[in-house]
Amino acid sequence: MANCLKLLKERSQKRRELLAQQLGAGSAAKLSSILGNKEERDAVKNAKSSDGAQKGERGRKRKPVENESYNSEDEEYFGTIELPEEEEVYKDSSTFLKGTQSANPHNDYCQHYIDTGQRPQNFIRDVGLADRFEEYPKLRELIRLKDELIAVTATPPMYLQCDLERFDFRSLNCQFDVILVEPMLEEYQRKYGLTNAKFWTWEEISSLEIEQVAAPRSFIFLWCGSDGLDYGRQCLKKWGFRRCEDISWIKTNVKNPGQTKNLDSKQIFQRTKEHYLMGIKGTVRRSTDGDFIHANIDIDLIISEEPEGNNIMEKPEEIFHIIEHFCLGRRRLHVFGRDTTIRPGWLTLGPELTNSNFHCDTYVSNFNKGPTDYLTGCTERIEALRPKSPTPHSKGGPSPGGGPPVRGGFGGRGGEHRGRGAPPRGVGFAPRGRGIHRGR
């Protein structure tokens, strides 16, 4: 018994020393003064002693009288005496959390946002590309190998300054495997009051001839901002694409808390996310078209800092990584690009570019050396590491494990995976390395 008590005391002392080191107390003896425990105990002790002394004085001044009785006049007198009300002292957010589900106010990120302006997503850790997969070595190796292959097979960056309102996309003389469209949406003019740029309505965006440069088997990523998802779906339909994914950009404000509370006449809540719509054209199956797509490597969520100042219109760079990891096609087109988005492996178009180096024949010559020259290819190691979908089976045939027959083949809008824990529908994305809802 003595050994157990000794061990518990040693552990308690080590915990106190570690806590004192983290709080900068210097020693464990000063820990009580920093946490306020000692002062609170002394204050309570002094209050009790003073109350006892006052009661003693009152007892000495007036001795109780035996068989003492009160008449109606005494009752009226004592009824007119008003006792002083205790003053309520505000200490923390727990006063406003009574009756709510938040038992611990320190974990209430909504209240913390009201108090400090720090968004809840600021406390999600391991969101950067560098440290996202540190606990998953195989996935980290897969990302590294794919980035190396993309860098080797990328074409030299080309860019063309043009007026997209009058530009003929057929003059590019090429069909693209991936098209990224990032227009200057009209909602930014309402939100930020900007007037130094051309802002596009959704009618003007849908009038772009994107369908003229989309390959029979291709994908599109359309920037929709905060409130343009419905309009974006109409654009995809007009251009001949089917919506298959919605990628969300969750914006943090670690560097500038409290200064990005922009109100829009059309919004009800504080908007801290924006969206990309992903569309597919043609027939692409995850299980059989591994030469063209590698699904389930990235997820449909981007968490990064909201741009400030003159860079307020910048989009997250991670969208390029998602596209390049997913689609193995080398013919990539970026519409509404800027000087900051010029990138190897991409043809960039936009009115905000300050220069041009695009030459049609030179660009097309990068893809006419063979029937599969427009693809990046794949190494054996990447093929072994990447997530794969099961091979499809004929309708009504036996399942891989000898169980009941599979209902239909793969390749429709869903696939053979259904129910809880199944991979995402369509081309899909996979969970990010570490859990995204863990505190910092």
Side-chain angles (χ1 to χ4, degrees), residues 171-190:
S171 63
L172 298 176
N173 195 26
C174 182
Q175 290 187 322
F176 295 87
D177 307 305
V178 175
I179 303 173
L180 174 62
V181 184
E182 294 181 324
M184 298 277 285
L185 298 175
E186 205 174 27
E187 68 177 76
Y188 292 107
Q189 190 174 22
R190 302 193 309 266

Side-chain angles (χ1 to χ4, degrees), residues 167-174 176 213 333 347 349 358 360:
F167 182 71
D168 185 5
F169 282 84
R170 289 171 292 187
S171 63
L172 298 176
N173 195 26
C174 182
F176 295 87
V213 292
L333 175 65
L347 170 59
L349 307 179
F358 175 72
C360 181

Side-chain angles (χ1 to χ4, degrees), residues 5 16 19 88 130 135 167 180 201 221 229 265 275 282 285 289 291 306 355 370 396:
L5 292 175
R16 290 176 62 84
L19 184 58
E88 185 177 0
E135 293 185 356
F167 182 71
L180 174 62
T201 65
F221 293 78
L229 288 175
S265 59
H275 303 270
R285 296 184 174 91
D289 293 328
D291 64 323
E306 183 176 14
N355 207 343

Side-chain angles (χ1 to χ4, degrees), residues 176-335:
F176 295 87
D177 307 305
V178 175
I179 303 173
L180 174 62
V181 184
E182 294 181 324
M184 298 277 285
L185 298 175
E186 205 174 27
E187 68 177 76
Y188 292 107
Q189 190 174 22
R190 302 193 309 266
K191 186 182 298 184
Y192 303 108
L194 302 177
T195 57
N196 58 348
K198 157 66 178 174
F199 293 93
W200 289 65
T201 65
W202 283 104
E203 290 76 10
E204 294 173 330
I205 296 171
S206 64
S207 65
L208 296 174
E209 298 177 339
I210 300 296
E211 66 274 9
Q212 299 293 338
V213 292
R217 186 175 62 164
S218 58
F219 296 93
I220 189 170
F221 293 78
L222 175 61
W223 177 255
C224 297
S226 299
D227 55 6
L229 288 175
D230 292 336
Y231 298 108
R233 289 185 176 91
Q234 297 175 13
C235 291
L236 295 188
K237 184 177 180 181
K238 190 260 182 183
W239 295 334
F241 289 86
R242 308 183 306 277
R243 180 261 181 204
C244 60
E245 289 287 351
D246 174 8
I247 302 175
S248 297
W249 176 29
I250 309 298
K251 299 181 290 185
T252 62
N253 64 343
V254 177
K255 300 179 182 178
N256 191 21
Q259 302 298 323
T260 53
K261 296 182 178 179
N262 299 300
L263 298 178
D264 191 331
S265 59
K266 294 186 177 181
Q267 72 184 47
I268 300 175
F269 303 108
Q270 284 287 339
R271 294 183 176 175
T272 63
K273 63 179 177 62
E274 300 188 44
H275 303 270
Y276 284 94
L277 270 184
M278 178 180 174
I280 179 175
K281 181 180 180 181
T283 302
V284 182
R285 296 184 174 91
R286 290 178 294 175
S287 56
T288 58
D289 293 328
D291 64 323
F292 191 60
I293 62 168
H294 283 175
N296 300 328
I297 294 178
D298 291 287
I299 67 167
D300 56 354
L301 188 64
I302 300 173
I303 303 176
S304 63
E305 187 74 4
E306 183 176 14
E308 305 173 13
N310 297 330
N311 300 323
I312 202 166
M313 300 302 299
E314 293 293 329
K315 309 301 187 298
E317 184 184 0
E318 189 175 341
I319 188 64
F320 290 101
H321 296 277
I322 292 176
I323 294 172
E324 292 168 354
H325 292 164
F326 168 70
C327 183
L328 278 61
R330 298 169 59 222
R331 301 171 297 185
R332 309 183 187 106
L333 175 65
H334 185 195
V335 186

Side-chain angles (χ1 to χ4, degrees), residues 95 199 341 414:
T95 305
F199 293 93
T341 62

Side-chain angles (χ1 to χ4, degrees), residues 12-39 41:
S12 176
Q13 182 64 23
K14 289 182 180 179
R15 285 195 295 267
R16 290 176 62 84
E17 291 176 356
L18 180 59
L19 184 58
Q21 182 180 1
Q22 293 177 348
L23 297 178
S27 63
K30 299 179 181 180
L31 191 60
S32 298
S33 60
I34 290 180
L35 295 177
N37 297 340
K38 187 175 181 181
E39 285 86 349
R41 289 197 297 269

